[in-house]
Amino acid sequence: MNTKFMLDESRIPKQWYNIIPDMPGPLHPVVNPQTLKPVTPEDMSAIFPMSLIEQEMSTERWIDIPEDVREKYRLWRPAPLFRARRLEQALQTPAKIYYKYEGVSPAGSHKPNSAIPQAYYNKQAGIRRLATETGAGQWGSSLSLACSMFGLECTIYMVKVSCTQKPYRKSMMQLWGATVIPSPSEFTNAGRSILAHDPNNLGSLGIAISEAVEDAATHDDTNYALGSVLNHVCLHQTVIGLEAKEQMELAGDYPDVVIACCGGGSNFAGLAFPFLSDRANGKKVRCLAVEPASCPTLTKGVYAFDYGDTAKLAPITMMYTLGHDFMPPGIHAGGLRYHGESALISQLYHAGEIEAKSYKQNACFEGALLFARSEGIVPAPESSHAVRAAIDEAVLAKEEGKEKTILFGLSGHGQLDMMAYDAYLSGALEDFEYPEEMIRQSLERLPKVSF
Amino acid sequence: MNTKFMLDESRIPKQWYNIIPDMPGPLHPVVNPQTLKPVTPEDMSAIFPMSLIEQEMSTERWIDIPEDVREKYRLWRPAPLFRARRLEQALQTPAKIYYKYEGVSPAGSHKPNSAIPQAYYNKQAGIRRLATETGAGQWGSSLSLACSMFGLECTIYMVKVSCTQKPYRKSMMQLWGATVIPSPSEFTNAGRSILAHDPNNLGSLGIAISEAVEDAATHDDTNYALGSVLNHVCLHQTVIGLEAKEQMELAGDYPDVVIACCGGGSNFAGLAFPFLSDRANGKKVRCLAVEPASCPTLTKGVYAFDYGDTAKLAPITMMYTLGHDFMPPGIHAGGLRYHGESALISQLYHAGEIEAKSYKQNACFEGALLFARSEGIVPAPESSHAVRAAIDEAVLAKEEGKEKTILFGLSGHGQLDMMAYDAYLSGALEDFEYPEEMIRQSLERLPKVSF
């Protein structure tokens, strides 16, 4: 009676799955925020290497993973897939619950799956340094790790308030050799102009993005790296789902529903896209994206052209959005606090190909606690959204007396998020409603773009 | 060119290796601290189940691992073994460096290897609750996890100052359902008598042991569990070395030297004992125990009968000791701050079967940093001692121009020890010399026991 499905390191995927050729219709253009015209590869080459720009737009279904990237993946990939037998017992459900666990990476989440190839391609292109932003610190620590492995320098603009609230993630980045700059900073025009008006500004992800992009755009030897949202990031994350498909086969099973938490979208894309591609072979798998009720991009946002960042420096894309100046409440799932959504996922959701659902954070932590006490692993607050949705699917199966196979993504562990669990256990965790009025106001400020 | 050597879950060992029949001579008796006579199984039955007491004294070379324990082990076992190719490159060494990584357990260290069977055997014996002590929290969190898996209650006396210094480990224990009591407490005579004299006492591991043992001894439905030192704990940990031997075979290699950090000794025992047993087959493997220079039990202690705890409640054993009232300085490798040493390891060291070496903490963190930047994984401060010794062996191989195969135990990850890395990176980490005068004074207070 197996509970863990492992693959040999030779089974690390040799190619990423690119969903673009299988999308329901052509992609919408990405728009330059200055010119309001479609972005060209030349626009992007100031901050990205050409190989990643090509991946961003490629219509090849399969893209080779460089051997040097696979070699780094080997440190923790293939990641394990588990059957959650003790959770099933605790729920007394007829459903079978599987989870793909990405917390085994050195950074503790799925983020290195894209940080490693991004560092690799930039190194290949002769870049000396990468700049990025980080909020909760999952992406920043993953990029630091990747840069240390390829001998790149790494500059991380970390939201100032997070430097204080998440000091250990900051330490991890420094440990791996990165320079961490509290944002807003004096190092960029974007930072200085904010500090001039408000010297005590605590920062935001939008401001940090602006600083990192400016840093990259104004230094020839420096590029920018983004941890989610973009097509090439979703592409890199498909190693999750590709492995999971092989492992489900080992288990002699196939999911009726695939569940993953969804912020910018790369985690959901990574697990779900390879399963979505099976529909062409007649498989009837449902794919469910789970988001926080406090930042309900898919479930309460609109499908429109919007800026990727607050400062309107990032490209405008057609996506589900809550408005580029929407400020989500300070929930503990920092990785899910983004106003927008990956263009690919947005288009799939708009076409009715995937489902979405939102949860308040107490419900998620309740599920995470049950999971930790039965399965042992402490879920990251982000991942707890998928845990909760999987539990609800299993409970529904019980009520309906149906067999059902559930696969969810456990995208990271929560060992660095104990403060959040403390708050939950002491009853001090706020259950933010999605601020409907704030969303409405933000949506009034969408850019005027039409094609 | 493989870098990760995995075993299928069917290869989780089916038996633990018991070194007792292979020891160089008979074991010394364990002495009751009240009567100063050899401990009987009845003495121990107030706080341990009979199955563990039998394991403590068994002369069977192989002891079956219950299927229910193997089923729990499956969550993270077999643990991976890696070839540290990037570290080898960084050191430009001809040596091959392998490491067995135990940080993949839900608690982040090797400790659950014994917590799981201890909870199992107590559950089998009809026990309702386990009591234990914890300092840095690795053992307490592991026992909480194990108890949650077997439906046992868990009471943890946590050194009061650690509750403040390591709040996240406390949260992990609570998350897994344990009751955490800052020690000294009002719940035991041992605690109350200390608080009567000193209401602000910050606690020590010795006091916490006394409280947990008293709790277990005075409640029929409650037993005590210890996380290291005892024979049965060393026994359970041999899954580490047994797997590592299989994995080294997969790698087509065999270690010239096996290195592990050594506090109470169960981590070292777990990795090294199965390799030591190969000497009967003519293998020439060296085994090196690494300890902190601030608590140099093997390298600066004496081989004598001594108490296992400060309060003289725990049995007296023949061991290397710095004296039961020796208070090691507050180094960050909390798991290595124990005045004594496993009786088995002590006897092996005394017989010249194994080697020992000590390092100051800055040297260990320096090694850990190099390791993290090349291999990605952040070592626990305890494990950093083994990392450092492995690096020195590899550097020596380079100087001597010799090929050499090094295997070391990476017993846990350091993601919850970022404060320590911060201190190292900012140059604020003190390099305690071993306090020779303190040791001398403590050794003057050894119990008078002779057989």
Side-chain angles (χ1 to χ4, degrees):
Chain A
M1 207 175 70
N2 285 349
T3 52
K4 183 164 68 165
F5 301 92
M6 298 297 298
L7 300 171
D8 184 74
E9 65 178 353
S10 68
R11 308 290 282 279
I12 294 171
K14 295 193 168 64
Q15 297 180 310
W16 291 297
Y17 166 61
N18 178 21
I19 201 171
I20 292 177
D22 298 329
M23 286 294 285
L27 301 192
H28 294 276
V30 175
V31 178
N32 183 315
Q34 274 93 48
T35 64
L36 293 187
K37 293 197 173 135
V39 161
T40 62
E42 289 65 41
D43 288 344
M44 297 173 77
S45 67
I47 58 170
F48 292 115
M50 201 45 73
S51 42
L52 289 177
I53 296 169
E54 283 165 14
Q55 288 183 0
E56 190 65 19
M57 303 174 167
S58 171
T59 53
E60 295 292 320
R61 187 168 285 116
W62 295 100
I63 293 177
D64 286 346
I65 305 179
E67 196 42 50
D68 215 5
V69 169
R70 291 183 78 236
E71 195 263 319
K72 305 294 182 285
Y73 276 170
R74 271 178 203 153
L75 183 53
W76 74 95
R77 305 212 71 83
L81 181 137
F82 293 97
R83 168 98 181 259
R85 292 189 190 273
R86 285 180 293 276
L87 179 62
E88 292 169 16
Q89 280 161 20
L91 295 171
Q92 299 272 308
T93 177
K96 288 182 277 186
I97 308 175
Y98 294 87
Y99 58 98
K100 174 75 172 169
Y101 183 41
E102 291 290 320
V104 290
S105 84
S109 79
H110 66 294
K111 292 287 186 191
N113 294 336
S114 185
I116 297 278
Q118 289 194 51
Y120 167 81
Y121 288 117
N122 276 290
K123 180 76 179 183
Q124 291 291 103
I127 289 297
R128 195 183 58 79
R129 181 168 71 96
L130 286 179
T132 196
E133 72 289 334
T134 201
Q138 289 276 16
W139 171 245
S141 53
S142 300
L143 194 68
S144 309
L145 168 71
C147 286
S148 85
M149 288 185 156
F150 287 103
L152 288 168
E153 284 184 33
C154 187
T155 303
I156 296 169
Y157 294 88
M158 184 170 187
V159 177
K160 197 175 277 173
V161 64
S162 298
C163 292
T164 322
Q165 285 175 350
K166 310 260 179 182
Y168 295 156
R169 290 236 176 252
K170 186 183 71 173
S171 314
M172 276 175 77
M173 297 177 222
Q174 292 169 331
L175 173 58
W176 280 317
T179 302
V180 181
I181 298 175
S183 165
S185 79
E186 292 288 351
F187 293 92
T188 64
N189 287 328
R192 281 187 294 269
S193 77
I194 283 163
L195 290 174
H197 293 292
D198 178 9
N200 299 317
N201 188 296
L202 292 175
S204 74
L205 204 54
I207 297 167
I209 292 177
S210 308
E211 290 205 275
V213 169
E214 180 185 328
D215 184 338
T218 54
H219 292 91
D220 276 351
D221 62 354
T222 302
N223 267 346
Y224 171 70
L226 189 63
S228 190
V229 178
L230 298 179
N231 300 352
H232 69 267
V233 185
C234 293
L235 173 78
H236 300 154
Q237 293 293 352
T238 59
V239 290
I240 304 174
L242 292 168
E243 286 179 8
K245 276 171 67 171
E246 272 210 62
Q247 289 164 311
M248 288 302 296
E249 221 175 293
L250 278 184
D253 231 328
Y254 192 85
D256 296 301
V257 57
V258 172
I259 302 169
C261 66
C262 196
S266 73
N267 170 60
F268 175 80
L271 183 63
F273 284 4
F275 284 97
L276 279 178
S277 77
D278 282 348
R279 289 199 186 152
N281 307 322
K283 298 272 192 191
K284 288 217 174 72
V285 60
R286 292 166 49 211
C287 290
L288 174 61
V290 192
E291 53 187 22
S294 55
C295 190
T297 317
L298 291 170
T299 50
K300 301 278 178 186
V302 298
Y303 191 45
F305 278 100
D306 197 5
Y307 298 101
D309 67 335
T310 319
K312 306 182 187 181
L313 289 175
I316 296 169
T317 53
M318 184 71 177
M319 62 179 176
Y320 278 86
T321 178
L322 300 166
H324 58 273
D325 60 359
F326 173 74
M327 286 287 283
I331 55 164
H332 283 282
L336 304 181
R337 294 177 61 218
Y338 183 64
H339 71 277
E341 185 59 67
S342 140
L344 294 172
I345 291 173
S346 294
Q347 191 177 346
L348 288 165
Y349 184 63
H350 192 66
E353 299 283 329
I354 60 171
E355 305 167 29
K357 194 171 182 178
S358 74
Y359 283 101
K360 294 180 194 164
Q361 60 181 351
N362 274 297
C364 295
F365 278 100
E366 185 193 16
L369 199 73
L370 177 63
F371 182 84
R373 288 184 183 177
S374 45
E375 293 296 310
I377 300 170
V378 180
E382 290 80 4
S383 317
S384 74
H385 289 72
V387 173
R388 177 72 219 201
I391 288 173
D392 283 0
E393 287 281 338
V395 169
L396 188 67
K398 182 184 172 184
E399 289 167 4
E400 296 177 344
K402 271 192 199 158
E403 289 203 6
K404 188 193 286 186
T405 300
I406 300 164
L407 167 63
F408 76 89
L410 190 66
S411 53
H413 69 64
Q415 294 194 11
L416 288 170
D417 302 283
M418 281 298 140
M419 231 177 322
Y421 279 97
D422 275 354
Y424 171 69
L425 288 169
S426 64
L429 206 62
E430 280 184 79
D431 245 350
F432 298 103
E433 291 287 334
Y434 68 91
E436 194 130 16
E437 179 56 22
M438 258 186 78
I439 294 174
R440 206 185 48 74
Q441 288 172 10
S442 286
L443 292 179
E444 283 169 6
R445 288 185 286 274
L446 294 179
K448 307 284 173 268
V449 177
S450 61
F451 285 92
Chain B
M1 209 177 69
N2 286 349
T3 52
K4 181 163 69 164
F5 301 92
M6 298 298 297
L7 300 171
D8 184 74
E9 64 179 352
S10 68
R11 310 288 282 280
I12 294 170
K14 295 193 168 63
Q15 297 181 309
W16 290 299
Y17 166 61
N18 178 20
I19 202 173
I20 292 177
D22 297 329
M23 287 293 286
L27 301 191
H28 293 276
V30 176
V31 177
N32 183 315
Q34 273 95 47
T35 63
L36 294 188
K37 293 197 172 134
V39 161
T40 63
E42 290 66 40
D43 288 343
M44 297 172 77
S45 67
I47 58 169
F48 292 115
M50 201 45 73
S51 42
L52 289 178
I53 296 169
E54 282 164 17
Q55 288 182 1
E56 190 65 19
M57 303 172 167
S58 172
T59 53
E60 295 293 320
R61 186 169 284 117
W62 295 100
I63 293 178
D64 286 347
I65 305 179
E67 197 40 51
D68 215 6
V69 169
R70 292 183 78 235
E71 195 263 319
K72 306 294 182 285
Y73 277 169
R74 270 176 204 153
L75 183 54
W76 75 97
R77 306 214 69 84
L81 181 135
F82 293 96
R83 169 97 182 260
R85 292 189 191 273
R86 285 180 294 276
L87 178 62
E88 292 169 16
Q89 280 162 21
L91 295 171
Q92 299 271 307
T93 176
K96 288 183 277 187
I97 308 176
Y98 294 87
Y99 59 98
K100 173 75 172 170
Y101 182 41
E102 291 291 320
V104 290
S105 83
S109 79
H110 68 293
K111 292 284 185 191
N113 294 335
S114 185
I116 297 279
Q118 289 194 51
Y120 168 80
Y121 288 116
N122 277 289
K123 180 76 179 182
Q124 290 290 103
I127 288 297
R128 195 182 59 79
R129 182 169 70 95
L130 286 179
T132 196
E133 73 288 332
T134 202
Q138 289 276 17
W139 171 244
S141 55
S142 299
L143 194 67
S144 309
L145 168 70
C147 285
S148 85
M149 288 185 158
F150 286 104
L152 288 168
E153 285 183 33
C154 187
T155 304
I156 296 169
Y157 294 87
M158 185 171 187
V159 177
K160 196 175 278 175
V161 64
S162 298
C163 291
T164 321
Q165 286 176 349
K166 309 262 180 180
Y168 295 156
R169 290 237 177 251
K170 187 182 71 172
S171 315
M172 276 176 75
M173 296 177 223
Q174 291 169 331
L175 173 59
W176 280 316
T179 303
V180 181
I181 299 176
S183 166
S185 78
E186 292 288 352
F187 293 92
T188 64
N189 286 328
R192 282 188 292 270
S193 77
I194 284 164
L195 291 173
H197 293 293
D198 178 10
N200 299 317
N201 188 296
L202 292 175
S204 73
L205 204 55
I207 297 168
I209 293 177
S210 307
E211 289 206 275
V213 168
E214 181 185 326
D215 183 337
T218 54
H219 293 91
D220 276 352
D221 63 353
T222 303
N223 266 346
Y224 171 71
L226 189 64
S228 190
V229 179
L230 298 179
N231 300 352
H232 69 266
V233 185
C234 294
L235 173 78
H236 300 154
Q237 294 293 351
T238 58
V239 289
I240 305 173
L242 292 168
E243 286 179 8
K245 275 171 69 171
E246 272 210 62
Q247 289 163 312
M248 289 301 296
E249 223 174 294
L250 278 184
D253 230 328
Y254 192 86
D256 296 301
V257 58
V258 172
I259 301 171
C261 66
C262 198
S266 73
N267 170 59
F268 175 79
L271 183 63
F273 284 5
F275 284 96
L276 278 179
S277 77
D278 283 347
R279 289 200 185 150
N281 307 321
K283 298 272 191 190
K284 289 216 174 73
V285 59
R286 292 167 50 211
C287 291
L288 174 61
V290 192
E291 53 187 21
S294 55
C295 189
T297 317
L298 290 169
T299 49
K300 299 280 177 184
V302 299
Y303 191 45
F305 278 100
D306 198 4
Y307 298 101
D309 67 335
T310 319
K312 306 182 187 180
L313 289 174
I316 296 169
T317 53
M318 185 69 177
M319 61 181 177
Y320 277 86
T321 179
L322 299 166
H324 57 274
D325 60 0
F326 173 74
M327 286 286 283
I331 56 165
H332 283 282
L336 304 181
R337 295 178 62 219
Y338 183 64
H339 71 278
E341 184 58 69
S342 142
L344 295 171
I345 291 173
S346 294
Q347 191 177 345
L348 288 164
Y349 184 64
H350 192 67
E353 298 284 329
I354 61 171
E355 305 168 28
K357 193 170 181 178
S358 73
Y359 282 102
K360 294 180 195 165
Q361 61 181 350
N362 273 298
C364 295
F365 279 99
E366 185 193 15
L369 198 73
L370 177 63
F371 182 84
R373 289 183 182 178
S374 44
E375 293 295 311
I377 300 171
V378 180
E382 290 81 3
S383 317
S384 73
H385 289 72
V387 173
R388 177 72 219 199
I391 289 173
D392 283 0
E393 287 280 339
V395 168
L396 188 67
K398 182 185 174 185
E399 288 166 5
E400 295 177 343
K402 271 193 200 160
E403 290 204 4
K404 188 194 288 186
T405 300
I406 300 165
L407 167 63
F408 75 90
L410 191 66
S411 54
H413 69 64
Q415 294 194 11
L416 288 169
D417 301 284
M418 280 299 140
M419 230 178 320
Y421 279 97
D422 275 353
Y424 171 70
L425 287 169
S426 64
L429 207 61
E430 282 183 78
D431 246 350
F432 298 102
E433 292 285 334
Y434 66 92
E436 195 132 16
E437 179 56 21
M438 259 187 77
I439 294 173
R440 206 186 47 73
Q441 287 171 9
S442 286
L443 291 179
E444 284 169 5
R445 289 185 285 274
L446 294 179
K448 306 285 173 266
V449 177
S450 60
F451 286 93

